[in-house]
Amino acid sequence: MFKIRRAKEVEPTAPGQVKIKKRSKVAGVMITQYVEELPESMTTPDFTQKPIALTIQEGKLAIFRAVVTGNPTPTVTWVRNDGEMDEERNITVFDATAGDYQLQMPDVAADQADTYKCFARNEYGKAVVTAALNIIEVGFKKSKAMQQSRTAVRETPQDFKKALKIKVDMEAKEEKKTEIDERFWELLMSADKKDYETIYAQYGITDYRGMLHKLSERKIEREQEQSKVVERLCNLKPIELKADGDAEFELEMSLKDPKSKIFLFKDGIMIPFELDTEIKHGLKQVGKKFVFSINGVDPDDAGLYQVEVDGVKIFSTDFKLPPVEFLVKIQDVKAEEREDAVFDCVLSQPLKKLKWMGKSNPLEQGEKYDITVSEDMLIHSLVVKDCLVVDKGIYAAVTGQASCNAWLIVEADNDPKTKGKKKACKTTRAGGGGEELLKIAEEQQAKNQIEREKLIAKARAEAAAAEAEAKAKAEAVKAAKPKAKAATKTKKKTDKKAAVEDGAEKTEEEEEEKDEKEDVEGEVPAEEVADAEEEEPAQEKRKRVREGPLVPDTVIDPGVYFTGGLSDVTAIIGTDAELVCRLSSEDCDGVWYKDGNEITATEDICIVKDGTYRKLIIKNCKEDDAGKYRCEADGRKTEAALSVEDPPRINPDDLTEFRKPVTIKVGKDATFKLSFVGREPMKVQWYSEGEELFEDTHIRTEKSSSHSCLVLTRCQRKITGEIKIRIKNECGTIEAITQFVVLERPTPPLGPVDIIESSSTCIEFKWRTPKDNGGSPITDYILERQQLGRNSWKKLGKIGPEPKYRDADVDHGRKYCYHIRAETDEGISEMMETDDIQAGTKAYPGSPSQPKVESAFKDCINLAWSAPANTGGTNLLGYNLEKRKNGSNLWGHVNPPNEPITEKKYAVKDVVEGFEYEFRVSAINISGAGKPSLPSAFVFVRDPKKPPGKVIDLKVTDSTYSTLSLGWTKPTEEEGVQDEAKGYFVELRPAENLEWGRCNSNPIIMSSFTIMGLKSMAMYWVRVLATNDGGDGEPQEFNNYIIAMPPPVRPQFTDKKMNTFMVMKAGNSARVNFNFQASPIPAIKWLKDGNPVGKHVTVSNTDTSSQMMIAAAERHDTGIYTIIVKNLVGQETSSVEIRVTDEPKPPGPVELEETVPGTVTVSWTPSPDEKKDDRLHYIVTKRDSVKRSWQTVADHLFNNKITVINIMPGRQYKFRVYARNDMGLSKPSESTIWEVKRIKGRFNKKTFSLTLPATNNCSFETPPSFSVPLKMHKSPESYECYMSCAVTGNPKPHTWYRNSISLNTNTNYYITNTCGVCSMVILKVGPKDTGDYAVIAENPLGRVDCSTKLVVEGKNTRICICYILNFTPLATCLNNSLFSPSFFGLG
């Protein structure tokens, strides 16, 4: 007995192979091992990530992904369980970046729903895994399929329990509600009605009615929210990709508040955008139209884009990029060092930018990499500039899911001449596609343009058809509604009447089934439903209430039942099939039925009872045996289907005969024939080397129901290879393979030849075998030779099958050319001609190294040298040594010319004591003597000298931060102990290093030396050693290290006059400069009132000065500033007080009060500047009605109250209060009129009256005049200049001029007028300030002027400025001025 299951793929096992089943770590993967024991480090294929079953909507992109391991790397193939794989609709891709194999099915259709298998094979085994693809049909096809499925359920008889079970399962499934992605609602609310079905299909939504109802509710809520910020919203255009590689979407809206903020989100994350459309995300507004743009679209820009206004969602659109593939992938590049490398690729769709990766790191445009894109955005290039060895690695181009990679190999420059030197950058480039890439890109661009035009035409046609269809549907629905209502009412009445007459009782399930059928019959397309949903509210279905329990509450013994039901079985015709089920009891018999008819045991049918198992065995299955089989026991039943398949089959003997290789000669005919059986119709295909063969002049096929024949006429060598036949029907596929060999004469041998030996006696060389031997092994090579300069060819004959030849019959120095032909059983090939080969080429050796004097004596000089790097290709025979006296031009041989020196050293004895000689050497090989070496250093012929002693009195004579000067006395001479010094070496060692370095390469004869290029303040050890011909003497060094710095100097200030007090107006800049001298370079620190200065204070330091600057001084900058200059020797400090103030603000209102008769108390509100300025005080003045002039009552008041005495009754008084600080007086605050009336006495007095004549008001105005004129000034450059003059007159306005140009509004000049003294200060005099200066005083009574000249001299000129003020003490002017006495030249 055999159990027949579903047919599986059966592969023939090669001789010596086994099939060992293995378990994978990944569930669902089946592994078959072909060998009993795996070699070391070898593994069978396996899946680390298997493809996942997909349920996807029709028209979408379906992708199966699998990750495979194994050594050697497995080959991955995809097959389909039912049907053949279409290469156009099923695309296999390997993603090198992710390392996964993909099966892509774009625009998937319903007929592609199937089970797919993925095979991974290598020579040690295979692994297979399956994955199912389920297709969700949409639109009218789906409704039709649902209707057919419901009808089929109704027509199939089911017992009550099974129906009940189905009912419970359906309710359980309905309870599981899947959550809908929020992106679905966002897209639906911003889309047109025509796009609803596409969005439904994208998210797998099938409940159209329910979704439309919820959509209308959400739209109402959204519109209510939008009405808060937007008055009008229309013309919503979804995002689309433009031809220039950018994308944009637009909408029109009227904002209630023009200041409302607009936000842009991508996949829920806010992204910045600017009004400039040239950046990545831009916004352009024209009136009420808003256009959002994405510049330079790349794969990362795909996603859901949303526009919000003040937190309210306005518009959503989904951006998807078209699939981009590589038409031409980047290729491996082999570049030389310091050469540019170019990677080029061509895309199938325009893309503004793709992602370049170098050794797993992203690459950007810069000095090292140059990334370019062609105008049509199809060709992308990466240039790796100035390649180095470290740039070697894998480079990749990535566009979303597609990617390609290639190696960059950098060959190092091993030229010994450039070793250790910086190599020059090369101008050549390696790699690049050239004109072929441009041609492919132009073809693809034309193809894209044609497709774009087709899509546009198709969209227009569809839009027109949809509009016409919509009109037709609207009219049909309008006409069909009355008829449908009348038909429904009539049918219900008829059904009800028939039910009453028959007396039939219907269950609640039958009623619901009837209602469902009515719903299906009356169902309309989704578009019409959507319109109906919006126009009229849906009517709720009536629900029937069940009366009484559906089943009795009593518990009944279930009896015998099936514990294991039948399973569908597929059997191949002619084999046995077995159906098995299992009961709960062994005693019950089972009855078998086929297609509803009971069957009994016959010769071909066996009914077996094995314990609780019941089996039905059908022997030698025929097509008639296929059908529905059912087993019943004790009222229970189970059924299954038996399918009998008849796949193509080949007789084993015929298959063995077909597999035998077929060998013919070129130009002959070949016939391949194979018989088979199987169910019709069968498709027969013939392949050669995997490429399908079709009928043409040299290919003919014959097909019948039982055999197929392939006839190949006039066969050529190129058709040699694998011939395969594939036979396929609806039940399966079978293949048979044979080898086909077409014999032909071989192709010529391959060159160029490699020269093994080229000497004066022989030439030996080798070559490569022919690319194609014509199907037969090489038996001989035939050679002939020609000597250069002759016309005849000498035949050398056959030399055997080895591609190598040694020619001993040659003349030294001659050149020869050879013809080589290959010979097989099929004939002789064409000849291959070699380049000219010279026998015994004369190659002279290179120059040996410069001879070195090992030792020198009065009668002998010992020399040594090293062999040349280039020996000329042969062994060296020896060396020739030459000598020359100092002052002579003639070289003489040391050794006889016929007796070369065999060693690389020699003792020269043919010398004269006291003379000076130099030597050179040349190498000799079979070709002769090469070029001589460089001459050695001159050497005296004398006995060696003793090294000198130590230098005496080594000392440092001078030092700076970068130099060090040394001095010493030469060492003494002692005969036989130490000889005279001929020169000196100075050696230096930084304190952190252990190795000494020489400061001079050649000995110096002076007894002093200056070391340059030292690091400031670094520590060094220094020593000096003497030298002569006998060698170097002992070094003399300092006992301690030396610091690179000048001699130590304690810090001291060099300014002869230093300011200690400065008054600045708020807002002006304050500068304080100190000059000093110190060594080593000191550390400088500035303090304000004992604390470090603030960050707004700028300090500039040099080696000899320091400057503190406050760019815009404020009141809080007032304080004492101290500079601390400190180094290793000591420190010095100096301070300056800076007071920052401003013109004071006037006091508040003035109040008067009499507390004691004859006095008045004057009080006022303090000035706002009182708390800011501790030097602010008040001045009080008064005026009475008699004197009519203002008199100072009190000055330097630091409180806000004063009592004024001597107040006379009968007079009127007015008081003024001024605030004063270092900058001057404020405006006055004036009191009201104060008057104390006279009190009449208690004694009666005679009264009288006096009439005074009327008097005119007294005028104090006077014309202007200069009491002290301007003086001529000479000022050094960069110094301060002060000009002043005294002016009388009332009123007293005046104006300063330079070269007839007013200076009153020029901020570079500070102008004041205090007590009639008009002054002007130039803070820093420059050459531009030279000129004529004038003061013009003018009032209604007259005008006067006064002029002077300012001469600016050099910086080193010093002048003395004197001021003659004949009416006011100088101290008073100093107190009333803004400036310190130093400005007046008084120190």
mmCIF file of all heavy atoms in Angstrom, residues 983-1008:
data_model
loop_
_atom_site.group_PDB
_atom_site.id
_atom_site.type_symbol
_atom_site.label_atom_id
_atom_site.label_comp_id
_atom_site.label_asym_id
_atom_site.label_seq_id
_atom_site.Cartn_x
_atom_site.Cartn_y
_atom_site.Cartn_z
ATOM 1 N N GLY A 983 87.378 71.116 12.042
ATOM 2 C CA GLY A 983 86.024 71.657 11.961
ATOM 3 C C GLY A 983 85.222 71.264 13.191
ATOM 4 O O GLY A 983 85.708 70.561 14.095
ATOM 5 N N TYR A 984 83.979 71.741 13.214
ATOM 6 C CA TYR A 984 83.145 71.497 14.380
ATOM 7 C C TYR A 984 81.717 71.146 13.917
ATOM 8 O O TYR A 984 81.233 71.639 12.890
ATOM 9 C CB TYR A 984 83.085 72.739 15.284
ATOM 10 C CG TYR A 984 84.448 73.219 15.711
ATOM 11 C CD1 TYR A 984 85.106 74.212 14.979
ATOM 12 C CD2 TYR A 984 85.080 72.684 16.837
ATOM 13 C CE1 TYR A 984 86.349 74.664 15.344
ATOM 14 C CE2 TYR A 984 86.339 73.134 17.217
ATOM 15 C CZ TYR A 984 86.963 74.113 16.464
ATOM 16 O OH TYR A 984 88.193 74.533 16.830
ATOM 17 N N PHE A 985 81.064 70.301 14.721
ATOM 18 C CA PHE A 985 79.651 69.964 14.540
ATOM 19 C C PHE A 985 78.889 70.413 15.782
ATOM 20 O O PHE A 985 79.337 70.182 16.915
ATOM 21 C CB PHE A 985 79.442 68.464 14.337
ATOM 22 C CG PHE A 985 79.881 67.962 13.000
ATOM 23 C CD1 PHE A 985 81.054 67.230 12.871
ATOM 24 C CD2 PHE A 985 79.137 68.221 11.869
ATOM 25 C CE1 PHE A 985 81.467 66.761 11.641
ATOM 26 C CE2 PHE A 985 79.546 67.763 10.625
ATOM 27 C CZ PHE A 985 80.718 67.036 10.507
ATOM 28 N N VAL A 986 77.741 71.078 15.572
ATOM 29 C CA VAL A 986 76.851 71.476 16.674
ATOM 30 C C VAL A 986 75.649 70.546 16.644
ATOM 31 O O VAL A 986 74.989 70.381 15.605
ATOM 32 C CB VAL A 986 76.405 72.941 16.517
ATOM 33 C CG1 VAL A 986 75.465 73.321 17.652
ATOM 34 C CG2 VAL A 986 77.609 73.856 16.484
ATOM 35 N N GLU A 987 75.358 69.927 17.778
ATOM 36 C CA GLU A 987 74.262 68.971 17.875
ATOM 37 C C GLU A 987 73.231 69.475 18.878
ATOM 38 O O GLU A 987 73.580 70.104 19.893
ATOM 39 C CB GLU A 987 74.757 67.591 18.284
ATOM 40 C CG GLU A 987 75.645 66.953 17.233
ATOM 41 C CD GLU A 987 76.071 65.550 17.599
ATOM 42 O OE1 GLU A 987 75.992 65.188 18.799
ATOM 43 O OE2 GLU A 987 76.469 64.813 16.693
ATOM 44 N N LEU A 988 71.971 69.193 18.587
ATOM 45 C CA LEU A 988 70.839 69.707 19.376
ATOM 46 C C LEU A 988 69.897 68.555 19.694
ATOM 47 O O LEU A 988 69.682 67.653 18.858
ATOM 48 C CB LEU A 988 70.095 70.786 18.582
ATOM 49 C CG LEU A 988 68.977 71.546 19.284
ATOM 50 C CD1 LEU A 988 69.554 72.483 20.325
ATOM 51 C CD2 LEU A 988 68.162 72.342 18.262
ATOM 52 N N ARG A 989 69.323 68.578 20.880
ATOM 53 C CA ARG A 989 68.358 67.549 21.273
ATOM 54 C C ARG A 989 67.265 68.190 22.121
ATOM 55 O O ARG A 989 67.548 68.744 23.175
ATOM 56 C CB ARG A 989 69.041 66.438 22.070
ATOM 57 C CG ARG A 989 68.086 65.352 22.569
ATOM 58 C CD ARG A 989 68.830 64.188 23.179
ATOM 59 N NE ARG A 989 69.450 64.522 24.439
ATOM 60 C CZ ARG A 989 68.843 64.477 25.635
ATOM 61 N NH1 ARG A 989 67.576 64.105 25.707
ATOM 62 N NH2 ARG A 989 69.481 64.791 26.737
ATOM 63 N N PRO A 990 66.000 68.145 21.641
ATOM 64 C CA PRO A 990 64.914 68.632 22.512
ATOM 65 C C PRO A 990 64.841 67.816 23.799
ATOM 66 O O PRO A 990 65.218 66.638 23.835
ATOM 67 C CB PRO A 990 63.660 68.439 21.650
ATOM 68 C CG PRO A 990 64.161 68.388 20.240
ATOM 69 C CD PRO A 990 65.512 67.756 20.312
ATOM 70 N N ALA A 991 64.344 68.454 24.837
ATOM 71 C CA ALA A 991 64.344 67.801 26.149
ATOM 72 C C ALA A 991 63.507 66.529 26.158
ATOM 73 O O ALA A 991 63.799 65.597 26.904
ATOM 74 C CB ALA A 991 63.841 68.777 27.213
ATOM 75 N N GLU A 992 62.448 66.472 25.304
ATOM 76 C CA GLU A 992 61.578 65.294 25.329
ATOM 77 C C GLU A 992 62.087 64.169 24.447
ATOM 78 O O GLU A 992 61.527 63.067 24.460
ATOM 79 C CB GLU A 992 60.153 65.682 24.891
ATOM 80 C CG GLU A 992 60.031 66.171 23.460
ATOM 81 C CD GLU A 992 60.259 67.664 23.347
ATOM 82 O OE1 GLU A 992 60.734 68.261 24.358
ATOM 83 O OE2 GLU A 992 59.976 68.227 22.281
ATOM 84 N N ASN A 993 63.140 64.394 23.631
ATOM 85 C CA ASN A 993 63.698 63.361 22.757
ATOM 86 C C ASN A 993 64.996 62.824 23.327
ATOM 87 O O ASN A 993 65.668 63.475 24.149
ATOM 88 C CB ASN A 993 63.955 63.915 21.351
ATOM 89 C CG ASN A 993 62.664 64.240 20.635
ATOM 90 O OD1 ASN A 993 61.598 63.858 21.094
ATOM 91 N ND2 ASN A 993 62.753 64.968 19.529
ATOM 92 N N LEU A 994 65.367 61.620 22.846
ATOM 93 C CA LEU A 994 66.601 60.981 23.286
ATOM 94 C C LEU A 994 67.672 60.996 22.195
ATOM 95 O O LEU A 994 68.818 60.631 22.469
ATOM 96 C CB LEU A 994 66.327 59.526 23.706
ATOM 97 C CG LEU A 994 65.352 59.354 24.875
ATOM 98 C CD1 LEU A 994 65.121 57.874 25.139
ATOM 99 C CD2 LEU A 994 65.879 60.041 26.132
ATOM 100 N N GLU A 995 67.324 61.333 20.973
ATOM 101 C CA GLU A 995 68.267 61.300 19.863
ATOM 102 C C GLU A 995 68.785 62.705 19.572
ATOM 103 O O GLU A 995 68.035 63.677 19.592
ATOM 104 C CB GLU A 995 67.602 60.723 18.614
ATOM 105 C CG GLU A 995 67.165 59.285 18.777
ATOM 106 C CD GLU A 995 66.566 58.731 17.490
ATOM 107 O OE1 GLU A 995 66.478 59.512 16.518
ATOM 108 O OE2 GLU A 995 66.208 57.545 17.477
ATOM 109 N N TRP A 996 70.107 62.755 19.279
ATOM 110 C CA TRP A 996 70.750 64.022 18.923
ATOM 111 C C TRP A 996 70.646 64.252 17.430
ATOM 112 O O TRP A 996 70.725 63.324 16.638
ATOM 113 C CB TRP A 996 72.227 64.016 19.328
ATOM 114 C CG TRP A 996 72.432 64.036 20.825
ATOM 115 C CD1 TRP A 996 72.508 62.975 21.647
ATOM 116 C CD2 TRP A 996 72.565 65.201 21.634
ATOM 117 N NE1 TRP A 996 72.688 63.381 22.948
ATOM 118 C CE2 TRP A 996 72.738 64.748 22.974
ATOM 119 C CE3 TRP A 996 72.574 66.571 21.384
ATOM 120 C CZ2 TRP A 996 72.909 65.627 24.031
ATOM 121 C CZ3 TRP A 996 72.749 67.452 22.432
ATOM 122 C CH2 TRP A 996 72.903 66.974 23.744
ATOM 123 N N GLY A 997 70.498 65.489 17.044
ATOM 124 C CA GLY A 997 70.469 65.859 15.635
ATOM 125 C C GLY A 997 71.477 66.953 15.359
ATOM 126 O O GLY A 997 71.654 67.875 16.168
ATOM 127 N N ARG A 998 72.167 66.842 14.219
ATOM 128 C CA ARG A 998 73.205 67.820 13.878
ATOM 129 C C ARG A 998 72.578 69.042 13.217
ATOM 130 O O ARG A 998 71.733 68.911 12.337
ATOM 131 C CB ARG A 998 74.250 67.202 12.965
ATOM 132 C CG ARG A 998 75.145 66.210 13.697
ATOM 133 C CD ARG A 998 76.379 65.835 12.904
ATOM 134 N NE ARG A 998 77.277 65.037 13.731
ATOM 135 C CZ ARG A 998 78.447 64.533 13.322
ATOM 136 N NH1 ARG A 998 78.840 64.764 12.065
ATOM 137 N NH2 ARG A 998 79.200 63.835 14.138
ATOM 138 N N CYS A 999 73.044 70.215 13.657
ATOM 139 C CA CYS A 999 72.532 71.463 13.105
ATOM 140 C C CYS A 999 73.239 71.830 11.802
ATOM 141 O O CYS A 999 72.702 72.606 11.016
ATOM 142 C CB CYS A 999 72.711 72.603 14.117
ATOM 143 S SG CYS A 999 71.859 72.294 15.681
ATOM 144 N N ASN A 1000 74.455 71.326 11.571
ATOM 145 C CA ASN A 1000 75.197 71.590 10.330
ATOM 146 C C ASN A 1000 75.612 70.253 9.731
ATOM 147 O O ASN A 1000 76.131 69.376 10.430
ATOM 148 C CB ASN A 1000 76.407 72.480 10.583
ATOM 149 C CG ASN A 1000 77.312 71.956 11.690
ATOM 150 O OD1 ASN A 1000 76.826 71.553 12.741
ATOM 151 N ND2 ASN A 1000 78.620 71.962 11.457
ATOM 152 N N SER A 1001 75.385 70.097 8.414
ATOM 153 C CA SER A 1001 75.741 68.844 7.753
ATOM 154 C C SER A 1001 77.230 68.752 7.461
ATOM 155 O O SER A 1001 77.811 67.657 7.465
ATOM 156 C CB SER A 1001 74.936 68.699 6.453
ATOM 157 O OG SER A 1001 75.171 69.824 5.619
ATOM 158 N N ASN A 1002 77.873 69.868 7.208
ATOM 159 C CA ASN A 1002 79.321 69.904 6.960
ATOM 160 C C ASN A 1002 80.014 70.613 8.117
ATOM 161 O O ASN A 1002 79.442 71.529 8.740
ATOM 162 C CB ASN A 1002 79.627 70.634 5.647
ATOM 163 C CG ASN A 1002 79.044 69.912 4.446
ATOM 164 O OD1 ASN A 1002 79.072 68.677 4.385
ATOM 165 N ND2 ASN A 1002 78.502 70.681 3.494
ATOM 166 N N PRO A 1003 81.246 70.217 8.421
ATOM 167 C CA PRO A 1003 81.946 70.860 9.548
ATOM 168 C C PRO A 1003 82.155 72.349 9.291
ATOM 169 O O PRO A 1003 82.393 72.785 8.160
ATOM 170 C CB PRO A 1003 83.274 70.105 9.625
ATOM 171 C CG PRO A 1003 83.066 68.832 8.869
ATOM 172 C CD PRO A 1003 82.056 69.137 7.816
ATOM 173 N N ILE A 1004 82.041 73.150 10.365
ATOM 174 C CA ILE A 1004 82.309 74.583 10.280
ATOM 175 C C ILE A 1004 83.704 74.834 10.862
ATOM 176 O O ILE A 1004 84.152 74.131 11.787
ATOM 177 C CB ILE A 1004 81.245 75.398 11.033
ATOM 178 C CG1 ILE A 1004 81.181 74.978 12.520
ATOM 179 C CG2 ILE A 1004 79.880 75.227 10.386
ATOM 180 C CD1 ILE A 1004 80.279 75.833 13.353
ATOM 181 N N ILE A 1005 84.393 75.822 10.330
ATOM 182 C CA ILE A 1005 85.757 76.100 10.799
ATOM 183 C C ILE A 1005 85.766 77.220 11.824
ATOM 184 O O ILE A 1005 86.756 77.413 12.538
ATOM 185 C CB ILE A 1005 86.670 76.449 9.606
ATOM 186 C CG1 ILE A 1005 86.146 77.682 8.859
ATOM 187 C CG2 ILE A 1005 86.778 75.262 8.654
ATOM 188 C CD1 ILE A 1005 87.080 78.150 7.741
ATOM 189 N N MET A 1006 84.639 78.006 11.916
ATOM 190 C CA MET A 1006 84.563 79.082 12.901
ATOM 191 C C MET A 1006 84.261 78.484 14.274
ATOM 192 O O MET A 1006 83.681 77.403 14.403
ATOM 193 C CB MET A 1006 83.473 80.082 12.517
ATOM 194 C CG MET A 1006 83.650 80.710 11.136
ATOM 195 S SD MET A 1006 85.073 81.807 11.052
ATOM 196 C CE MET A 1006 84.533 83.129 12.150
ATOM 197 N N SER A 1007 84.635 79.229 15.324
ATOM 198 C CA SER A 1007 84.392 78.782 16.699
ATOM 199 C C SER A 1007 83.152 79.461 17.272
ATOM 200 O O SER A 1007 83.097 79.771 18.457
ATOM 201 C CB SER A 1007 85.614 79.077 17.567
ATOM 202 O OG SER A 1007 85.884 80.476 17.548
ATOM 203 N N SER A 1008 82.175 79.709 16.423
ATOM 204 C CA SER A 1008 80.881 80.257 16.862
ATOM 205 C C SER A 1008 79.819 79.777 15.887
ATOM 206 O O SER A 1008 80.116 79.500 14.716
ATOM 207 C CB SER A 1008 80.906 81.789 16.917
ATOM 208 O OG SER A 1008 81.171 82.330 15.629
#
